[in-house]
Amino acid sequence: MGLKILGTGYYLPETVVTNEDFTRIVDTSDEWIVKRTGMRERRIASEPTHVMAEEAARRAIENAGMSPEDIDLILCTTVTSDYITPSLACIIQGNIGAKNAVAFDINAACAAFVYALDMAHMYLQNGYKHILIVSAEGLSKITDYTDRSTCVLFGDAAGACIVGWGDGEFKSVLGSDGTGAHTLFARRPLNDVPFVTQVDPQSVDHFPDVNRPGVLYMDGREVYKFAVGAMSKALLGACEKAGLQPKDLDLIIPHQANLRIIQSAAKELGLPLERFYVNIDRYGNTSSACIPVALAELNAQGALVPGKKVGMVGFGAGLVYGGCVFTL
Ligand SMILES: CC(C)(COP(=O)(O)OP(=O)(O)OC[C@H]1O[C@@H](n2cnc3c(N)ncnc32)[C@H](O)[C@@H]1OP(=O)(O)O)[C@@H](O)C(=O)NCCC(=O)NCCS
């Protein structure tokens, strides 16, 4: 059984930050950022993550012609929830009035939307009918704006979709490599605890002691190498399971981390770059929100034509990757 996109929505904060804006806070240039990443501008939120998430969710429900009560499961992906607990999914469930929905979060960093789709596909087989997936990221909350090699990369956004049963097949490949965990991470500040002196996990895990708690550290070159291999491996694997060749895919929605990574994956897969949807120039890397925002933009453009074969592929901290293919 396949999976059908019943509705999509997205939300972008108003504030646009250009490459030029970064030249005022770190030693960088528009030319370097465009050449090395393909990024030109990104959005930065003043609103909490859950506000972006709820707006994207409401728009997806409206786009599907449904009401919040029709949703029976909410899966949220985020690494920047406003609360440690409860889950972002429960906050959304309460605020939009999806009173019949079970709600919980998934943490698979930038690849999490593909993980959520995969999980939704399993829950559909379990009897759930209308699953709302919301991916919302306020990455500006965990970005180190003194580090020029990471701060220019990230933006804030939320994307959502509702999925139900569809014709055709849904096939996916997920993978993890925890030995690369130290190449991309943000650690939680230690709490002040009476009675004991807590051991910083970083000191026993041998992660590099390079950034302050709460902000992202990334070994860009290592992640880059992982990303190029993971993108083609995940997409090829999902195609193989579906009995397809990459060239059979009409449209590929990749994670938007670096235009050069997308170009390399296209080359490895022997596909023209035009087959890949790219909006990295406008929004930068919005982690798990990249793919659903792109999906919603494509839907608004009328590009999600029934019968077309679509591939999605993401990778991120963990390290993790995931790819899937299905018929729209
Ligand atoms: C981060 C990334 C764009 C850096 O590009 P790169 O070509 O690998 O650049 P390097 O890290 O090799 O750095 C090259 C030089 O540019 C400098 N540099 C880094 N960021 C810069 C910036 N914003 N402006 C100007 N110079 C910069 C570095 O300091 C380095 O200078 P040096 O040679 O004097 O030491 C790239 O590695 C990347 O995209 N990695 C993967 C990121 C990713 O996918 N992250 C998300 C995972 S979900």
Side-chain angles (χ1 to χ4, degrees):
M1 286 287 244
L3 181 146
K4 194 164 182 58
I5 306 290
L6 303 172
T8 61
Y10 68 113
Y11 176 86
L12 295 162
E14 252 178 47
T15 301
V16 175
V17 174
T18 64
N19 292 348
E20 207 54 43
D21 292 326
F22 277 101
T23 65
R24 289 193 280 278
I25 60 165
V26 287
D27 181 12
T28 191
S29 65
D30 176 55
E31 190 196 355
W32 191 96
I33 301 171
V34 173
K35 193 166 160 214
R36 306 308 295 165
T37 71
M39 296 171 188
R40 292 179 187 277
E41 52 185 53
R42 67 290 291 146
R43 303 296 179 96
I44 302 289
S46 54
E47 53 277 69
T49 301
H50 77 85
V51 172
M52 295 194 287
E54 280 157 32
E55 198 46 44
R58 284 194 189 94
R59 291 174 188 178
I61 292 169
E62 191 186 330
N63 181 252
M66 290 181 178
S67 71
E69 291 86 0
D70 296 326
I71 305 298
D72 46 20
L73 177 62
I74 301 176
L75 302 175
C76 276
T77 74
T78 184
V79 292
T80 49
S81 194
D82 305 304
Y83 297 89
I84 293 169
T85 193
S87 67
L88 175 61
C90 279
I91 294 172
I92 296 174
Q93 192 251 20
N95 288 352
I96 68 172
K99 59 184 182 190
N100 300 313
V102 177
F104 63 94
D105 289 359
I106 299 167
N107 183 345
C110 301
F113 180 75
V114 177
Y115 281 61
L117 268 189
D118 187 64
M119 201 177 253
H121 184 243
M122 290 188 273
Y123 273 102
L124 287 168
Q125 294 172 68
N126 227 354
Y128 289 84
K129 291 198 163 48
H130 302 134
I131 302 178
L132 169 64
I133 301 175
V134 190
S135 301
E137 303 286 7
L139 290 176
S140 55
K141 289 184 207 171
I142 60 165
T143 295
D144 179 353
Y145 287 101
T146 65
D147 176 7
R148 68 175 180 174
S149 64
T150 56
C151 70
V152 301
L153 303 176
F154 301 112
D156 301 337
C161 69
I162 295 165
V163 299
W165 273 126
D167 300 329
E169 279 194 310
F170 173 93
K171 294 292 177 190
S172 64
V173 165
L174 309 179
S176 309
D177 178 10
T179 64
H182 61 283
T183 61
L184 178 54
F185 65 90
R187 64 192 157 114
R188 196 193 295 285
L190 289 179
N191 193 14
D192 281 333
V193 182
F195 319 117
V196 295
T197 305
Q198 288 190 328
V199 176
D200 185 340
Q202 192 145 311
S203 67
V204 291
D205 294 338
H206 309 297
F207 280 32
D209 190 13
V210 282
N211 64 339
R212 63 178 199 274
V215 294
L216 277 169
Y217 162 79
M218 182 175 68
D219 180 338
R221 286 182 199 179
E222 281 304 309
V223 176
Y224 190 98
K225 274 191 268 173
F226 168 78
V228 171
M231 291 267 277
S232 36
K233 186 158 70 177
L235 212 51
L236 266 178
C239 281
E240 242 171 60
K241 277 190 177 178
L244 298 172
Q245 303 281 331
K247 66 175 170 43
D248 299 328
L249 297 174
D250 298 296
L251 170 69
I252 296 159
I253 309 179
H255 176 45
Q256 314 276 320
N258 188 322
L259 183 59
R260 289 187 292 137
I261 293 175
I262 299 172
Q263 286 166 335
S264 300
K267 202 169 159 197
E268 272 196 36
L269 292 162
L271 296 175
L273 187 61
E274 297 69 48
R275 205 73 67 85
F276 289 72
Y277 188 73
V278 174
N279 60 12
I280 195 170
D281 51 323
R282 289 175 285 139
Y283 311 134
N285 179 352
T286 59
S287 189
S288 68
C290 285
I291 295 177
V293 166
L295 184 72
E297 282 193 330
L298 283 159
N299 196 15
Q301 294 163 17
L304 300 185
V305 180
K308 274 196 176 181
K309 290 190 168 39
V310 65
M312 296 178 183
V313 61
F315 61 89
L319 297 166
V320 295
Y321 63 86
C324 65
V325 298
F326 60 101
T327 306
L328 288 169

